[in-house]
Structures are given as C-alpha cells and as structure tokens.
C-alpha cells in the first residue's frame, strides 16, 4: 500500500520514512536557525511541506486557534525578557511548527508513523512504541477536539463565534480532551501489549517498503534546504 501512486507534489503519497525524514530535517533546521537568512530558509521548508500536504491555511488555523493565541502571548513575553529578535523568532517558529504538525498529521496514518520510525531510523520495537506514543499524543488531543466539536453541532450548539469566544470554549474543553487522549493512549498501549509488540527487537512489515525516485528526490531537496540553513547560520555574521 506504500509503494503505489507516488507523486512528488503530494506528501500523502510518500513513503512513511520519507515523511518522517523531511519532518526531522525541518525540525533540525528550525531548532538551529537563529539568524535572519537561515530562519527564512527554515520557513521556506515549512511552507513547502504545507503546500505538499494540500491542506489550506484556513483549516490549519481553525484547528490550532488555541495554540496560536498561546504562542502569541508567549512570544510577547519572550520579547520582553529576551532580546526582541530572539523572542520574535521563537514565536514564529512555534507558530510554523504547529501548522506543519497539523498539516502532516492529516497526511500520515498511525501505522505509517510506526513503520517510519522502526524502518526509517532503525529503532527497536520498544523505543519505536515510546516515541510513537509521544508523537501521536497531540494528534489524539486534536481528534478528541474534533469529536467534541461534532457532538456540539449535533446538539445544536454553535462552537463558532469570535476568536476569543472560540478560544474560551476550547479552553473549557482542554482538560476533558487531554484526559480522553490519555485514556486512549493507555488503551492503545494495552492493545500493543496484547499483541506483544515489544517482544521482538525489530518490527516486521507485511508489505516491504521501497524508496522510489520520488522519495529520493524530495529527500535531497529538503536535505539541501537543511544544510543551507545550518551553514548560513554558522557562516553569516
């Protein structure tokens, strides 16, 4: 199911390992870029991923309005206690990574994350399971949020309104959503225990994964972006 219909302009069609590799390269470029040119390069990487995900910006903002407002508030605080440029960079990076995470989350399945971690990074089954639980937890919270929104609409409750009213409503549901996500994570771990997922050192797959030319080309493109960001951050004054 992973080896058919690859298209370089659609991230959803990539090999699971390629999806995680380009996400990691974006994170590395973003984490180590603290000058204007490398920050711009890392933002170009994030914008390219969002474009490849074929997800409009409006749905991304709609699904992350609470986090966006939180990062804006934290960004103002950082600009007060830190140099203004560093505080601004931190805020913009958090906003960009949030939008990219939501975009990728809509284009990668849970099984693909596990396969990508185990086969793309050579991790053992137990390590793969732990990292998957950490990476998938925000997705679980967002899925619980979407379920709550659908339930409100089914009862005739309008979850819309102004930005601040929507933020207030989301904050009221934040703890129930997180609690439900924790419960779902526990059930998922119990299911993996029953299937003895950690009993083997490596994960086996029923369908062998093969990297196509599309995967290699897109990986090289993001590798060039990442190296350009890192080198410019080192060489530029």
């Amino acid at each position: 199911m992973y080896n058919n219909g690859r298209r370089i302009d659609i991230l959803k069609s990539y090999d699971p390992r390629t999806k995680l590799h380009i996400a990691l390269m974006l994170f590395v470029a973003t984490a180590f870029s603290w000058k204007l040119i490398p920050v711009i390069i890392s933002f170009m990487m994030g914008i390219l991923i969002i474009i490849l995900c074929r997800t409009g910006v409006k749905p991304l903002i709609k699904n992350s309005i609470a986090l966006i407002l939180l990062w804006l508030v934290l960004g103002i605080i950082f600009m007060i206690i830190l140099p203004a440029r560093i505080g601004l960079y931190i805020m913009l990076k958090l906003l960009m990574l949030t939008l990219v995470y939501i975009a990728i989350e809509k284009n990668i399945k849970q099984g693909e994350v596990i396969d990508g971690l185990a086969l793309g990074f050579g991790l053992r089954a137990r390590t793969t399971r732990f990292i998957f639980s950490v990476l998938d937890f925000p997705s679980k919270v967002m899925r619980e949020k979407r379920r709550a929104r659908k339930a409100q609409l089914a009862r005739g409750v309008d979850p819309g309104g102004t930005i601040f009213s929507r933020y207030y409503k989301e904050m009221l549901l934040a703890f129930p959503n997180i609690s439900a996500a924790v419960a779902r994570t526990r059930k998922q771990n119990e299911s993996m225990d029953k299937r003895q997922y950690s009993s083997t050192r490596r994960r086996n797959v029923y369908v062998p994964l093969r990297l196509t030319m599309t995967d290699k080309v897109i990986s090289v493109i993001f590798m060039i972006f990442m190296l350009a960001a890192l080198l410019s951050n080192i060489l530029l004054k």
Side-chain angles (χ1 to χ4, degrees), residues 45-55 57 60 99-100 103:
M45 295 174 67
I47 293 172
L48 179 57
I49 291 178
I50 293 176
I51 293 174
L52 293 174
C53 288
R54 297 293 186 92
T55 303
V57 176
L60 296 180
L99 296 178
V100 169

Side-chain angles (χ1 to χ4, degrees), residues 86-118:
I86 300 300
L88 178 62
Y89 285 168
I90 292 175
M91 179 184 68
L92 293 177
K93 288 179 179 184
L94 290 173
L95 291 172
M96 187 265 291
L97 290 175
T98 298
L99 296 178
V100 169
Y101 177 89
I102 295 176
I104 294 179
E105 183 262 342
K106 293 180 176 296
N107 286 269
I108 188 169
K109 300 177 181 178
Q110 292 180 331
E112 290 182 315
V113 176
I114 295 176
D115 288 338
L117 289 171

Side-chain angles (χ1 to χ4, degrees), residues 142-205:
M142 286 187 286
R143 285 193 288 270
E144 293 299 329
K145 173 185 170 182
R146 288 194 286 267
R147 289 191 183 95
R149 183 174 297 169
K150 290 180 180 179
Q152 289 177 339
L153 291 173
R155 295 194 306 271
V157 178
D158 183 13
T162 64
I163 293 179
F164 293 103
S165 64
R166 289 172 56 188
Y167 179 77
Y168 175 73
K169 294 175 183 177
E170 289 190 10
M171 287 298 100
L172 291 178
L173 294 174
F175 289 107
N177 289 338
I178 292 174
S179 177
V182 170
R184 194 170 294 274
T185 300
R186 290 175 179 171
K187 291 181 180 179
Q188 189 176 65
N189 289 334
E190 291 174 359
S191 176
M192 297 178 81
D193 284 334
K194 293 178 181 178
R195 298 178 184 181
Q196 296 184 338
Y197 181 81
S198 301
S199 62
T200 57
R201 295 184 63 184
R202 303 294 180 190
R203 173 174 169 81
N204 298 321
V205 293

Side-chain angles (χ1 to χ4, degrees), residues 66-97:
L67 285 176
I68 289 176
L69 292 176
L70 177 62
W71 299 149
L72 290 175
V73 173
L74 289 179
I76 295 174
I77 296 175
F78 286 143
M79 284 189 286
I80 294 175
I81 64 178
L82 298 173
R85 178 175 60 88
I86 300 300
L88 178 62
Y89 285 168
I90 292 175
M91 179 184 68
L92 293 177
K93 288 179 179 184
L94 290 173
L95 291 172
M96 187 265 291
L97 290 175

